[in-house]
Amino acid sequence: MPLLMFDVLEGRSEAETKAMLDAAHRAVLTAFKVPERDRYQIVHENKPYQMVIQDTGLGIERTEKVVVLRVFTSPRSPEQKALFLTELCRELHEYCGIAPSDVMVSFINNDRSDWSFGNGVAQYLTGEL
């Protein structure tokens, strides 16, 4: 049930975007052990002047393939987060040609009671999930 929100520069093709989303989903499946259909992804395309992604002084170079990813999720262990970051960068590099230096990720934790998957019901609270 992580919700992945991607910010990228405009200009990727539909095939490139699909490959990016598929790669990220494989990383989610590996790191978080969620069901296959536990897939929630949104892509926002931005004009170059709308994204300033520097490096906090780390010397990381960015390109036009930069991806900023927000992962909204119930709390995950540090080990799960580290595995996700490793797998995400590996998948994006292997299948999309996106360098690890172009991947920035932020985890946003919330509680299971913060989720409704539809029908005006908090399924984790009702026991449906």
Side-chain angles (χ1 to χ4, degrees), residues 6-119:
F6 299 79
D7 274 285
V8 298
L9 295 174
E10 63 186 3
R12 282 183 167 83
S13 69
E14 183 177 339
E16 289 171 319
T17 299
K18 183 180 180 329
M20 179 182 70
L21 296 178
D22 290 347
H25 188 59
R26 288 189 298 272
V28 165
L29 293 173
T30 298
F32 300 148
K33 307 293 187 217
V34 300
E36 178 74 30
R37 288 183 50 88
D38 198 349
R39 185 172 181 171
Y40 304 93
Q41 301 169 314
I42 300 170
V43 176
H44 297 107
E45 290 188 320
N46 302 277
K47 296 186 181 316
Y49 68 85
Q50 293 173 312
M51 287 182 68
V52 177
I53 309 301
Q54 295 185 337
D55 66 354
T56 314
L58 296 171
I60 298 170
E61 296 294 323
R62 310 284 188 197
T63 74
E64 73 284 346
K65 290 187 174 186
V66 68
V67 175
V68 177
L69 176 59
R70 287 164 287 168
V71 180
F72 294 84
T73 183
S74 296
R76 305 287 176 175
S77 71
E79 294 79 17
Q80 287 176 308
K81 291 177 185 179
L83 179 58
F84 174 75
L85 295 172
T86 299
E87 286 297 307
L88 177 68
C89 285
R90 184 189 62 73
E91 287 276 351
L92 291 176
H93 188 254
E94 183 173 338
Y95 294 99
C96 307
I98 299 171
S101 57
D102 272 329
V103 180
M104 181 177 168
V105 179
S106 177
F107 291 94
I108 300 150
N109 292 325
N110 52 41
D111 187 83
R112 289 179 174 258
S113 66
D114 295 324
W115 293 88
S116 170
F117 295 91
N119 299 323

